[in-house]
Amino acid sequence: NAGVMQNPRHLVRRRGQEARLRCSPMKGHSHVYWYRQLPEEGLKFMVYLQKENIIDESGMPKERFSAEFPKEGPSILRIQQVVRGDSAAYFCASSPQRATNTEAFFGQGTRLTVV
Amino acid sequence: AQKITQTQPGMFVQEKEAVTLDCTYDTSDQSYGLFWYKQPSSGEMIFLIYQGSYDEQNATEGRYSLNFQKARKSANLVISASQLGDSAMYFCAMRERLIQGAQKLVFGQGTRLTINP
Protein backbone atom coordinates (compact mmCIF):
# COMPACT_ATOMS: atom_id res chain seq x y z
CA ASN A 1 0.00 0.00 0.00
CA ALA A 2 2.01 2.92 -1.29
CA GLY A 3 1.93 6.17 0.59
CA VAL A 4 1.52 9.65 -0.83
CA MET A 5 3.85 9.94 -3.82
CA GLN A 6 5.30 13.21 -4.95
CA ASN A 7 7.54 13.90 -7.90
CA PRO A 8 9.96 15.18 -8.65
CA ARG A 9 11.80 15.18 -5.33
CA HIS A 10 13.99 18.05 -6.45
CA LEU A 11 13.24 20.63 -9.12
CA VAL A 12 15.45 23.45 -10.34
CA ARG A 13 13.96 26.21 -12.44
CA ARG A 14 15.29 29.48 -13.79
CA ARG A 15 13.41 32.66 -13.00
CA GLY A 16 10.47 33.04 -15.35
CA GLN A 17 10.03 29.32 -16.08
CA GLU A 18 7.09 27.18 -15.05
CA ALA A 19 7.19 24.56 -12.29
CA ARG A 20 4.86 21.57 -12.19
CA LEU A 21 4.69 19.50 -9.03
CA ARG A 22 2.81 16.20 -8.96
CA CYS A 23 1.08 14.37 -6.12
CA SER A 24 -0.51 10.94 -6.21
CA PRO A 25 -2.64 10.37 -3.08
CA MET A 26 -2.73 7.17 -1.09
CA LYS A 27 -4.90 4.45 -2.57
CA GLY A 28 -8.53 5.09 -1.74
CA HIS A 29 -7.97 8.74 -0.82
CA SER A 30 -9.99 11.35 -2.69
CA HIS A 31 -8.84 14.50 -0.87
CA VAL A 32 -5.53 16.23 -1.52
CA TYR A 33 -3.87 19.11 0.34
CA TRP A 34 -0.86 21.16 -0.67
CA TYR A 35 1.42 22.90 1.82
CA ARG A 36 4.49 25.08 1.41
CA GLN A 37 7.47 25.20 3.75
CA LEU A 38 9.81 28.14 3.46
CA PRO A 39 13.33 27.66 4.91
CA GLU A 40 13.35 27.42 8.70
CA GLU A 41 9.57 27.67 8.96
CA GLY A 42 6.63 25.39 9.55
CA LEU A 43 4.31 24.21 6.81
CA LYS A 44 1.66 26.61 5.57
CA PHE A 45 -1.60 25.41 4.01
CA MET A 46 -2.11 26.37 0.37
CA VAL A 47 -5.06 24.51 -1.14
CA TYR A 48 -7.48 21.64 -0.57
CA LEU A 49 -8.91 19.70 -3.48
CA GLN A 50 -11.29 16.85 -4.10
CA LYS A 51 -11.55 15.12 -7.46
CA GLU A 52 -12.22 17.83 -10.08
CA ASN A 53 -13.00 20.44 -7.41
CA ILE A 54 -11.07 23.07 -5.49
CA ILE A 55 -12.68 23.23 -2.05
CA ASP A 56 -10.44 25.70 -0.20
CA GLU A 57 -7.70 27.79 -1.80
CA SER A 58 -7.39 30.37 0.95
CA GLY A 59 -3.63 29.84 1.24
CA MET A 60 -2.80 30.14 -2.44
CA PRO A 61 -1.03 33.26 -3.68
CA LYS A 62 -3.39 35.23 -5.90
CA GLU A 63 -1.17 35.16 -8.96
CA ARG A 64 0.96 32.58 -10.77
CA PHE A 65 -0.15 29.62 -8.62
CA SER A 66 -2.83 27.11 -9.58
CA ALA A 67 -3.79 23.60 -8.59
CA GLU A 68 -5.90 20.84 -10.06
CA PHE A 69 -6.94 17.30 -9.19
CA PRO A 70 -8.41 15.72 -12.32
CA LYS A 71 -10.70 12.73 -12.42
CA GLU A 72 -7.80 10.62 -13.62
CA GLY A 73 -4.18 11.13 -12.70
CA PRO A 74 -2.27 12.98 -10.01
CA SER A 75 -2.91 16.36 -8.49
CA ILE A 76 -0.78 19.11 -10.02
CA LEU A 77 0.49 22.28 -8.38
CA ARG A 78 1.56 24.69 -11.08
CA ILE A 79 3.69 27.78 -10.56
CA GLN A 80 4.06 30.07 -13.54
CA GLN A 81 6.91 32.54 -14.05
CA VAL A 82 8.75 31.40 -10.94
CA VAL A 83 10.69 33.88 -8.80
CA ARG A 84 13.43 33.33 -6.21
CA GLY A 85 10.88 33.65 -3.41
CA ASP A 86 9.09 30.53 -4.67
CA SER A 87 12.08 28.43 -3.58
CA ALA A 88 10.66 26.16 -0.89
CA ALA A 89 9.62 22.63 -0.09
CA TYR A 90 6.12 21.78 -1.29
CA PHE A 91 4.33 18.96 0.50
CA CYS A 92 1.21 17.09 -0.43
CA ALA A 93 -1.05 15.19 1.97
CA SER A 94 -4.13 13.06 1.32
CA SER A 95 -7.10 11.76 3.26
CA PRO A 96 -10.10 9.53 2.57
CA GLN A 97 -13.57 10.93 1.94
CA ARG A 98 -14.58 10.25 5.51
CA ALA A 99 -11.47 11.29 7.37
CA THR A 100 -11.13 9.68 10.78
CA ASN A 101 -8.94 12.56 11.84
CA THR A 102 -6.40 10.40 13.57
CA GLU A 103 -3.66 10.64 10.98
CA ALA A 104 -2.56 12.95 8.22
CA PHE A 105 0.17 11.53 6.01
CA PHE A 106 2.46 13.59 3.86
CA GLY A 107 4.45 12.81 0.78
CA GLN A 108 8.21 13.25 0.81
CA GLY A 109 7.93 16.72 -0.66
CA THR A 110 9.29 18.48 -3.72
CA ARG A 111 12.14 20.88 -3.13
CA LEU A 112 11.93 23.69 -5.64
CA THR A 113 14.99 25.83 -6.21
CA VAL A 114 14.70 28.90 -8.41
CA VAL A 115 18.00 30.14 -9.79
CA ALA B 1 -8.30 31.66 13.87
CA GLN B 2 -6.34 28.72 15.14
CA LYS B 3 -2.76 29.29 16.20
CA ILE B 4 0.08 27.03 17.32
CA THR B 5 3.04 28.28 19.35
CA GLN B 6 6.31 26.44 19.87
CA THR B 7 8.50 28.60 22.08
CA GLN B 8 11.70 26.55 21.94
CA PRO B 9 13.63 27.23 18.71
CA GLY B 10 16.30 24.71 19.71
CA MET B 11 16.97 22.14 22.39
CA PHE B 12 20.06 20.13 23.30
CA VAL B 13 19.68 16.91 25.27
CA GLN B 14 22.02 14.13 26.36
CA GLU B 15 21.39 10.73 24.87
CA LYS B 16 19.08 8.49 26.95
CA GLU B 17 17.52 11.44 28.76
CA ALA B 18 13.84 12.26 28.40
CA VAL B 19 12.91 15.45 26.58
CA THR B 20 9.76 17.57 26.53
CA LEU B 21 8.94 19.75 23.53
CA ASP B 22 6.43 22.49 24.27
CA CYS B 23 3.37 23.33 22.24
CA THR B 24 0.50 25.65 23.08
CA TYR B 25 -2.50 26.28 20.91
CA ASP B 26 -5.34 28.71 20.56
CA THR B 27 -8.77 27.82 19.22
CA SER B 28 -12.39 28.58 19.89
CA ASP B 29 -13.51 25.20 18.56
CA GLN B 30 -14.63 22.45 20.92
CA SER B 31 -13.61 19.71 18.50
CA TYR B 32 -10.05 19.70 17.25
CA GLY B 33 -7.05 17.44 16.82
CA LEU B 34 -3.40 17.89 17.66
CA PHE B 35 -0.51 16.28 15.80
CA TRP B 36 3.23 16.02 16.18
CA TYR B 37 5.56 15.49 13.23
CA LYS B 38 9.28 14.83 12.98
CA GLN B 39 11.28 16.27 10.11
CA PRO B 40 14.82 14.84 9.86
CA SER B 41 17.52 16.45 7.77
CA SER B 42 16.36 14.40 4.77
CA GLY B 43 13.24 16.57 4.78
CA GLU B 44 10.27 14.24 4.92
CA MET B 45 7.44 14.79 7.40
CA ILE B 46 7.01 11.79 9.68
CA PHE B 47 3.76 11.51 11.63
CA LEU B 48 4.42 10.70 15.30
CA ILE B 49 1.30 11.00 17.40
CA TYR B 50 -2.25 12.35 17.49
CA GLN B 51 -4.50 13.61 20.30
CA GLY B 52 -8.19 14.37 19.90
CA SER B 53 -9.75 17.12 21.97
CA TYR B 54 -12.28 14.69 23.44
CA ASP B 55 -9.76 11.99 24.25
CA GLU B 56 -9.66 11.53 28.01
CA GLN B 57 -6.29 9.83 28.10
CA ASN B 58 -2.97 11.13 26.85
CA ALA B 59 -1.89 9.57 23.57
CA THR B 60 1.14 7.29 23.54
CA GLU B 61 3.09 5.70 20.68
CA GLY B 62 6.15 3.77 21.75
CA ARG B 63 8.68 6.25 23.17
CA TYR B 64 6.42 9.19 22.31
CA SER B 65 3.68 10.48 24.55
CA LEU B 66 1.60 13.61 24.41
CA ASN B 67 1.03 15.54 27.63
CA PHE B 68 -2.39 17.02 26.87
CA GLN B 69 -3.59 19.72 29.27
CA LYS B 70 -6.81 21.00 27.79
CA ALA B 71 -7.47 23.78 30.30
CA ARG B 72 -4.01 25.21 29.68
CA LYS B 73 -4.28 24.58 25.92
CA SER B 74 -0.99 22.76 25.81
CA ALA B 75 0.02 19.58 24.00
CA ASN B 76 3.64 18.88 24.84
CA LEU B 77 5.50 15.99 23.23
CA VAL B 78 7.54 13.81 25.56
CA ILE B 79 10.25 11.56 24.14
CA SER B 80 11.56 9.02 26.61
CA ALA B 81 15.07 7.57 26.49
CA SER B 82 16.23 9.81 23.66
CA GLN B 83 18.40 8.39 20.89
CA LEU B 84 20.83 10.00 18.46
CA GLY B 85 18.33 9.33 15.68
CA ASP B 86 15.82 11.60 17.40
CA SER B 87 17.81 14.65 16.29
CA ALA B 88 15.46 16.50 13.95
CA MET B 89 12.96 19.34 13.65
CA TYR B 90 9.70 18.70 15.47
CA PHE B 91 6.44 20.37 14.50
CA CYS B 92 3.23 20.63 16.44
CA ALA B 93 0.08 21.04 14.34
CA MET B 94 -3.64 21.48 14.89
CA ARG B 95 -6.47 20.42 12.64
CA GLU B 96 -8.88 23.16 11.77
CA ARG B 97 -12.61 22.60 11.76
CA LEU B 98 -13.68 20.01 9.19
CA ILE B 99 -15.30 21.39 6.10
CA GLN B 100 -16.46 18.81 3.57
CA GLY B 101 -14.13 16.28 5.16
CA ALA B 102 -11.09 18.57 5.26
CA GLN B 103 -8.02 17.91 7.40
CA LYS B 104 -6.47 21.33 7.10
CA LEU B 105 -3.54 21.64 9.48
CA VAL B 106 -2.01 24.70 11.11
CA PHE B 107 1.65 24.27 12.06
CA GLY B 108 3.92 25.83 14.65
CA GLN B 109 7.37 27.16 13.84
CA GLY B 110 9.09 24.02 15.01
CA THR B 111 11.75 23.04 17.55
CA ARG B 112 15.15 21.77 16.45
CA LEU B 113 16.15 18.94 18.78
CA THR B 114 19.77 17.84 18.99
CA ILE B 115 20.72 14.71 20.91
CA ASN B 116 24.30 14.70 22.17
CA PRO B 117 26.18 11.40 22.67
Side-chain angles (χ1 to χ4, degrees):
Chain A
N1 185 15
V4 180
M5 304 299 292
Q6 290 187 249
N7 68 82
R9 292 288 309 278
H10 300 275
L11 183 61
V12 179
R13 284 287 178 266
R14 296 187 184 280
R15 281 177 293 171
Q17 291 184 319
E18 179 180 285
R20 282 184 177 241
L21 288 61
R22 295 174 186 77
C23 169
S24 296
M26 287 180 72
K27 188 175 180 181
H29 286 191
S30 56
H31 299 190
V32 164
Y33 313 79
W34 286 93
Y35 291 79
R36 178 166 66 174
Q37 183 182 30
L38 295 172
E40 302 302 316
E41 293 188 11
L43 278 67
K44 297 273 194 313
F45 169 81
M46 298 180 75
V47 61
Y48 161 49
L49 309 102
Q50 296 176 14
K51 285 283 186 181
E52 300 184 283
N53 281 307
I54 297 174
I55 306 301
D56 183 343
E57 56 182 345
S58 57
M60 287 280 270
K62 299 298 180 195
E63 297 178 348
R64 303 186 297 107
F65 284 72
S66 62
E68 63 177 11
F69 189 17
K71 189 175 180 181
E72 302 290 338
S75 175
I76 306 286
L77 179 67
R78 182 182 177 206
I79 311 172
Q80 294 178 289
Q81 299 174 331
V82 296
V83 301
R84 289 250 170 88
D86 297 332
S87 295
Y90 292 83
F91 287 92
C92 171
S94 71
S95 69
Q97 185 172 2
R98 295 290 178 195
T100 59
N101 313 323
T102 59
E103 296 168 340
F105 292 109
F106 286 85
Q108 292 188 300
T110 294
R111 273 140 195 90
L112 172 66
T113 302
V114 179
V115 297
Chain B
Q2 280 86 347
K3 185 179 177 182
I4 293 281
T5 303
Q6 294 181 253
T7 57
Q8 306 152 311
M11 284 195 69
F12 295 84
V13 173
Q14 285 300 118
E15 191 180 7
K16 298 180 185 174
E17 289 183 352
V19 56
T20 298
L21 304 181
D22 295 341
C23 172
T24 57
Y25 59 91
D26 188 20
T27 182
S28 56
D29 289 344
Q30 297 300 311
S31 176
Y32 51 89
L34 296 154
F35 300 77
W36 276 93
Y37 287 88
K38 173 183 178 181
Q39 187 176 43
S41 57
S42 51
E44 69 267 33
M45 295 290 287
I46 301 170
F47 167 76
L48 295 178
I49 197 166
Y50 168 84
Q51 179 86 40
S53 57
Y54 293 120
D55 295 341
E56 304 230 335
Q57 294 195 334
N58 288 341
T60 60
E61 290 286 348
R63 293 187 299 113
Y64 304 108
S65 60
L66 200 152
N67 184 1
F68 182 45
Q69 298 190 37
K70 196 169 181 177
R72 298 179 62 182
K73 293 189 174 179
S74 75
N76 298 339
L77 177 70
V78 179
I79 306 174
S80 62
S82 58
Q83 302 170 357
L84 295 178
D86 294 333
S87 294
M89 282 290 285
Y90 288 80
F91 291 98
C92 180
M94 179 166 56
R95 187 199 71 235
E96 287 198 15
R97 187 198 302 266
L98 291 179
I99 300 173
Q100 294 195 41
Q103 284 222 51
K104 184 174 165 182
L105 297 177
V106 176
F107 283 81
Q109 288 289 93
T111 296
R112 184 173 297 281
L113 175 64
T114 302
I115 307 298
N116 295 317

